[in-house]
Amino acid sequence: MSQTARAISLVLLSAFTAFSSANAESHTVTFTNNCGSGTPIMIHHGSIVSYGGPYTVQGPLTAAIAYLQTGNCLFDGPNCATVELTLVNTASGPQALTFP
């Protein structure tokens, strides 16, 4: 391999590494409770990950459940209005759910 080809390969490798690092997936969910009472709860992978504070995940955030705990909600949100979150760099969106 010629020196020029090696230099080009090194530059391409460096550019790919920089591109990969710059596009690392990360998501932060924050809560604003304008109700004046209750505690925002977020559950991810079956565990409570936030009691109202910001929650950051490295990589995609899939099937997280958020709701305002006012004392009537069961784990994962039954008896409350909930929001299911999926945040992925290629496609994201919330879905509002209501459990009776």
Side-chain angles (χ1 to χ4, degrees), residues 28-99:
T28 300
V29 176
T30 58
F31 296 93
T32 302
N33 179 2
N34 291 327
C35 295
S37 64
T39 302
I41 301 289
M42 188 161 86
I43 297 173
H44 189 222
H45 294 300
S47 297
I48 296 176
V49 295
S50 175
Y51 288 95
Y55 174 67
T56 300
V57 62
Q58 301 302 316
L61 175 67
T62 56
I65 302 283
Y67 57 91
L68 185 64
Q69 178 57 271
T70 58
N72 298 325
C73 308
L74 301 176
F75 188 79
D76 268 352
N79 299 331
C80 288
T82 62
V83 175
E84 181 174 341
L85 302 167
T86 295
L87 303 174
V88 180
N89 277 358
T90 56
S92 297
Q95 177 181 0
L97 305 170
T98 304
F99 293 101

